[in-house]
């Protein structure tokens, strides 16, 4: 969250494994932070590229996109943004799962040239995670990579002692089974998870 608050006038890309909380960080915590600091709601534009409702607003269909194995039409999206930007005030674009937008690098670099627009995006598949963000965004990009909660972070909000907290964390953690293996095995399994995640991210849009 602190990296979002210190961000200024460059693309900020939040990447992570799935279900790590990046969308919640951007669209809930950061969104409410902007509101609490005087930003008008109509100057915060939130759009999730994996949301059927949001895609409907620009004349796209999530089902059709999946069937045709293509990305979201950037022209339709940019037309929608133009309809929302109606004055010279500062606008904040909070864009979720940006990798689903065709030509997203060109689109984001175009917005960066505007003096009244600040862009924050999330992404989680191999197309985005494998890129050098700073290079793709012409040296104007910055990246925040999110990780699952550590035990210390979990305990900072957990109501109970550390033994109950550890039990709760182990029973709800995404990688529960990693607690029962040795360090070398854990490293090997995590490497396999990352490799599989990259493969599954590439398969829907490219030939392997």
């Amino acid at each position: 969250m602190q990296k979002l608050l210190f961000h200024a006038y460059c693309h900020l890309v939040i990447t992570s494994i799935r279900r790590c909380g990046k969308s919640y960080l951007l669209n809930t915590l950061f969104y409410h932070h902007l509101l609490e600091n005087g930003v008008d709601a109509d100057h915060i534009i939130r759009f999730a590229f994996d949301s059927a409702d949001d895609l409907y607003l620009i004349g796209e269909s999530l089902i059709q996109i999946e069937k045709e194995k293509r990305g979201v039409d950037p022209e339709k999206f940019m037309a929608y943004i133009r309809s929302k930007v109606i004055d010279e005030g500062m606008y904040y674009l909070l864009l979720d799962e940006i990798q689903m937008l065709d030509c997203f690098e060109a689109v984001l670099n175009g917005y960066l040239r505007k003096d009244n627009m600040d862009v924050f995006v999330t992404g989680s598949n191999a197309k985005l995670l494998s890129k050098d963000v700073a290079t793709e965004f012409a040296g104007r990009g910055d990246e925040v990579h999110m990780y699952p909660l550590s035990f210390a972070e979990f305990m900072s909000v957990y109501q109970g002692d550390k033994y109950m907290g550890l039990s709760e964390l182990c029973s709800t953690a995404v990688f529960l089974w990693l607690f029962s293996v040795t360090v070398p095995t854990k490293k090997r399994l995590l490497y396999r998870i990352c490799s599989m995640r990259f493969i599954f991210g590439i398969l829907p849009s490219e030939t392997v």
Side-chain angles (χ1 to χ4, degrees):
M1 184 65 176
Q2 290 300 319
K3 291 186 178 181
L4 269 71
L5 302 182
F6 284 109
H7 165 71
Y9 298 100
C10 69
H11 297 316
L12 185 67
V13 181
I14 306 171
T15 58
S16 75
I17 60 174
R18 287 189 178 276
R19 308 303 178 189
C20 197
K22 61 187 180 301
S23 296
Y24 184 79
L25 172 66
L26 183 68
N27 292 314
T28 301
L29 298 180
F30 187 60
Y31 172 73
H32 286 291
H33 169 81
L34 293 174
L35 293 177
E36 291 167 2
N37 283 270
V39 179
D40 293 334
D42 58 3
H43 280 61
I44 306 173
I45 305 174
R46 294 186 292 178
F47 195 95
F49 290 96
D50 60 348
S51 166
D53 290 338
D54 285 358
L55 291 174
Y56 179 80
L57 297 175
I58 63 173
E60 285 276 30
S61 166
L62 182 61
I63 301 302
Q64 199 65 29
I65 288 173
E66 290 293 332
K67 286 182 177 180
E68 297 175 3
K69 303 298 182 183
R70 62 177 177 83
V72 175
D73 186 336
E75 295 294 344
K76 292 180 178 179
F77 172 70
M78 289 188 292
Y80 173 76
I81 297 299
R82 285 193 295 270
S83 72
K84 293 291 185 179
V85 179
I86 58 177
D87 57 42
E88 296 302 316
M90 177 61 73
Y91 283 81
Y92 296 85
L93 270 62
L94 312 184
L95 310 177
D96 202 7
E97 300 298 348
I98 189 66
Q99 75 279 350
M100 294 182 65
L101 175 68
D102 275 345
C103 306
F104 68 85
E105 302 95 336
V107 172
L108 295 181
N109 274 319
Y111 289 143
L112 188 61
R113 294 187 177 93
K114 297 182 180 296
D115 294 332
N116 67 331
M117 197 166 287
D118 209 359
V119 185
F120 302 80
V121 305
T122 74
S124 58
N125 82 345
K127 181 179 180 181
L128 185 63
L129 293 175
S130 62
K131 290 181 179 293
D132 182 334
V133 171
T135 299
E136 287 295 331
F137 297 151
R140 297 187 291 259
D142 195 9
E143 180 179 11
V144 173
H145 189 75
M146 287 187 62
Y147 298 91
L149 289 178
S150 67
F151 180 58
E153 291 169 331
F154 179 80
M155 287 304 299
S156 70
V157 296
Y158 180 74
Q159 301 297 318
D161 63 42
K162 59 184 179 181
Y163 301 105
M164 292 176 61
L166 179 59
S167 177
E168 181 72 17
L169 179 63
C170 290
S171 64
T172 58
V174 176
F175 302 134
L176 168 63
W177 42 272
L178 288 179
F179 286 92
S180 62
V181 299
T182 62
V183 172
T185 302
K186 185 179 298 186
K187 290 181 178 180
R188 185 173 68 254
L189 292 174
L190 283 172
Y191 176 80
R192 290 178 60 186
I193 291 173
C194 293
S195 299
M196 290 174 65
R197 181 69 196 93
F198 270 61
I199 291 173
F200 290 137
I202 293 171
L203 282 177
S205 58
E206 302 181 25
T207 302
V208 177

